[in-house]
Every structure is written in C-alpha cells, then in structure tokens.
Amino acid sequence: MRKKVLVLGSNFGGLTAALAVKRELHGDVDVRVISPGDRFVFNPSLIWLPFGKRDAAGITFPVGPTFASHGVDFVHDAAVEIDADHKLVRTASGGSYDYDYLVVATGYRNRMDVVPGLVDNAVTITSLEEAQRAGEAWQRYLSDPGDIVVAASQGAGCFGAAYEFLFNTSYRLKKAGLRKQVKLTYVSSEPFLGHFGIGGLPHGEQLLGMFLRKQGIDAHVGVALDHVATDAVVLADGTEIPSSYSMVVPPFIGQEVAANATALDPDDKGYLPVRPTYQSEKFDDVYVVGIAAQVVAPWQTAVPMGIPKTGLPTEVQAHTAASNIAAQIRGEAPTHSKPFGDIPAVCVMDAGNNGVIILADKMLPPREHGILVPGPQAHAMKLAFEKYFLWKARNGYVHLP
C-alpha cells in the first residue's frame, strides 16, 4: 500500500514540500494538501500593493490546478486539530484525514494586540487583506497628506518589509510631489539600523544610515511602541511622533492549529520545535517547515525582536523535509539536515527605483562572508525574480532554483 503524506498549508512551504516529495518518489506516494486558502500569495510583492503598483490578481494564483497537474490532492479547508498520537488531522468542516507522514507548513498570524491602537489607527502589509486595507488608507491619505511613520514593533521579525515599505513610501511621495512637505520617520525594535533580525552584516548600519540621511528620514531604533493614536505614534519612552499614516509591522505567531498541538510542544508564540532534519522533536513522522518552525535567536536584545523566516529558508526547509520523508518511505534513515542558521541569506530589498542586494553564507552568525550591494540593479532584480518565481510556482517546478 502506498504511503500517505499530508501537508498543511499551500504557500511557500506547503506547495514546495508537497510537490517535492511527489517528485522525489516519482509519483509513488499519495500526497494531499489541506489549506484554508486556495490561492498562493507571493508575499514579497505586498510592499507594492498599497501604492497601486500591484493587485491581488497579479501576485496570486489558484493552487488547485497546480496540485492537480502533479497528481496531488487538494482540500480547501482549515485544519483545526493535529492528533499526532493517532496520526490524524481534523478540519473545520468535520473532515478527518489520516497520514503516514505529516508536514506542518501553516505559516503565521499577525499578533495585532501587541500595540494598543494598531488595529484601529494603523495599517500593516504582512497579509494580502491587510495590504489591500493599507492601499485604501493610502488613497485617503493622498487627499489629505501629513507626516508618516513606518515601524517594526517590539517582537517583529519581518524588518526587510518595513525597510522596503519605508523607502517605497519615500519614492512614492516624491513621485506625487509631496516628499518635501512630509516628515517620514522609521521606528524599529532593531538595536541598530541594518540588523534585519539576523545580526546585521558588514557596513550594513552605515549603508542604511546613508540611505536614510540621503532621503531625509528620521530613525528611532532599539525602542518599543507604547500605542498608536489617530494622529501619532507614541514610543515606550514617551516620545510622540505625529503621523497621518502609520504602517506597523507586528510580530508573527503560529496559526492556532499549530499553537494548540500540545503533543508537538509549541512555544509561547505557537511555533513548533524541530530537529535539523525538520522533524518534530517528539515525532519522527511529523515535519515542520517555514514560519511554523521554531527558531531560537542566538542573542538577546533590550527590546524583544524576532527572526525573519522568509521564502528562501522556507523552501530549503521544505526540500529537506521532502528528502527525509522520501528516505523514510524507502526504508532509509532521514539524514538530510540544514539548520536554519546555516541556510544562506539571499535577499533583495527594494527601494522604489533602487535597492540593496543582501548576501551572506549563513542566515545567522557566526558567518565567514556577508555583503550588501546597493544600486538600481536590485530593483530590476526583484522585478525579474517576482515574474520568475510566480511562473515556477504556478507550474509546480519546485525543483528549479
């Protein structure tokens, strides 16, 4: 009887894991994906959506046809319970699905209660729906412009998106003829500019500082937010920064199905601890990839901050898990491993018509190599990568780089 692999989630981690294990075993395995969303979302492009440079149709695609073309069953439903002891997953519609191997790639939720006033008086861009709401607020802002604050709150980890939105905001204000009359401020829990949640890279602080000075952007780093008012962002030290448009990147937490899976020992953020093979620490037949997988920071900071779990490490984790599941099904030991900190850091930070290419041999220190390459080629590179990745994912070519 063919083994059953069940995958929870259909974005970067889920889509990659499902198609990769099917390919590794030359189709000789039953793979099913359960996901509450039926469209893949290319999250790196959400930074452009509020400014009308992208819409939902341009950065998403339906996953059902992709899975079907590769012989993967797709269930459009939300997983609500993982019973790891009995190898069962239950769904919101009352379904029950058994498995031989499980991949948890459920992603994240925004923790919107971390800062009072965030929901009512600010916007964020870390989901498609929230980015669309940020776009509606941007249109209202343009009719009555004022000062702007872009912030990454205490506990946040997605600093790249905050920087990208900051510099794209500056660029869009300039295009609209508003830049000189708007005070633009960046607020971050990072201990210094260019930390990015990965410990920083050589000359990163100086480079980001230069970018901000050149564009006349004020910065407050190593600070927490106290609350967001209708007309200001107030910091924990009492500093009040006037703001007519506040964009705040909040912390991420695990989806409820993962956070409630007590047998898998979730942490206080709802993330699940894993071994370097991406197997759960407690179950050899359960794998966890992407944001759902716990990553312990190798440092402590005065203001709590997270670690960015972006698309590239998620894909690496998903391929590692798929290779190990395939090995187990073949009766071999799951020996493939790639700890999160050892995955190379490759990121393109867009700045409207400019940007920075970020490269390092490891996501987390200690490192041997790391470099930041500024210039307009970064913007062109991000545009090209968007088109390439959406083509690759839509066609299920997860074996391509």
Side-chain angles (χ1 to χ4, degrees):
M1 182 179 293
R2 297 210 305 188
K3 296 294 186 181
K4 297 178 181 178
V5 177
L6 184 61
V7 180
L8 306 184
S10 62
N11 227 59
F12 283 87
L15 183 136
T16 301
L19 297 178
V21 74
K22 190 78 172 181
R23 178 182 172 84
E24 289 233 13
L25 292 167
H26 307 287
D28 190 22
V29 61
D30 292 331
V31 182
R32 172 175 287 145
V33 175
I34 299 175
S35 178
D38 62 351
R39 298 186 72 86
F40 180 95
V41 179
F42 188 68
N43 304 74
S45 293
L46 293 176
I47 57 162
W48 293 320
L49 195 147
F51 306 113
K53 306 311 294 181
R54 293 292 184 277
D55 58 21
I59 60 173
T60 70
F61 63 84
V63 294
T66 301
F67 287 130
S69 67
H70 291 268
V72 172
D73 183 42
F74 177 64
V75 179
H76 184 202
D77 199 356
V80 295
E81 182 186 357
I82 298 170
D83 184 347
D85 291 311
H86 298 95
K87 296 188 176 186
L88 287 173
V89 170
R90 297 178 179 88
T91 63
S93 67
S96 181
Y97 299 88
D98 63 332
Y99 62 83
D100 294 298
Y101 297 94
L102 176 68
V103 180
V104 181
T106 44
Y108 63 93
R109 294 173 288 160
N110 289 325
R111 187 186 164 194
M112 300 297 281
D113 64 349
V114 68
V115 178
L118 197 161
V119 172
D120 295 330
N121 301 322
V123 296
T124 190
I125 55 166
T126 50
S127 73
L128 177 61
E129 296 74 19
E130 292 289 350
Q132 290 173 319
R133 192 169 77 90
E136 295 166 359
W138 180 255
Q139 291 305 311
R140 294 193 297 271
Y141 166 84
L142 290 177
S143 65
D144 186 19
D147 294 341
I148 293 177
V149 172
V150 174
S153 78
Q154 55 270 34
C158 195
F159 298 102
Y163 279 114
E164 288 188 294
F165 191 83
L166 175 74
F167 293 124
N168 271 270
T169 298
S170 180
Y171 179 68
R172 291 297 153 193
L173 288 171
K174 184 177 179 180
K175 295 280 284 186
L178 298 171
R179 184 65 192 91
K180 291 183 179 180
Q181 70 188 66
V182 173
K183 181 182 179 182
L184 183 56
T185 303
Y186 177 63
V187 177
S188 178
S189 54
E190 298 164 279
F192 54 84
L193 290 172
H195 185 285
F196 294 119
I198 61 172
L201 291 170
H203 311 297
E205 184 175 6
Q206 295 93 323
L207 180 64
L208 268 295
M210 180 191 71
F211 264 60
L212 266 67
R213 286 192 300 275
K214 183 177 179 181
Q215 299 191 35
I217 300 171
D218 289 345
H220 299 257
V221 295
V223 295
L225 306 184
D226 182 77
H227 68 277
V228 182
T230 56
D231 59 354
V233 171
V234 181
L235 307 186
D237 63 6
T239 301
E240 186 170 318
I241 307 171
S243 181
S244 298
Y245 184 95
S246 304
M247 196 292 289
V248 179
V249 172
F252 296 157
I253 54 176
Q255 294 286 2
E256 288 187 15
V257 66
N260 294 334
T262 55
L264 299 178
D265 198 23
D267 66 14
D268 60 351
K269 298 181 179 66
Y271 299 144
L272 305 177
V274 294
R275 290 170 261 177
T277 57
Y278 294 99
Q279 290 169 289
S280 159
E281 287 190 348
K282 293 193 173 183
F283 292 85
D284 290 345
D285 52 13
V286 176
Y287 289 78
V288 188
V289 302
I291 295 179
Q294 180 192 71
V295 176
V296 178
W299 53 68
Q300 289 187 331
T301 52
V303 178
M305 56 185 296
I307 289 176
K309 304 174 187 176
T310 55
L312 174 63
T314 295
E315 284 189 280
V316 172
Q317 293 171 338
H319 279 292
T320 303
S323 295
N324 283 326
I325 291 171
Q328 287 177 292
I329 291 174
R330 290 192 295 260
E332 303 165 2
T335 58
H336 298 271
S337 68
K338 192 69 172 178
F340 179 89
D342 291 344
I343 297 172
V346 181
C347 181
V348 180
M349 189 183 79
D350 183 68
N353 64 342
N354 207 324
V356 179
I357 300 169
I358 302 169
L359 303 170
D361 61 323
K362 292 182 178 182
M363 283 290 296
L364 300 176
R367 304 185 184 94
E368 292 185 7
H369 309 290
I371 187 171
L372 291 90
V373 184
Q377 71 276 5
H379 177 65
M381 186 175 176
K382 180 147 186 165
L383 294 174
F385 181 74
E386 176 196 53
K387 292 178 172 57
Y388 163 75
F389 193 93
L390 283 167
W391 166 83
K392 180 184 87 164
R394 183 183 291 111
N395 287 285
Y397 299 153
V398 297
H399 57 287
L400 295 178

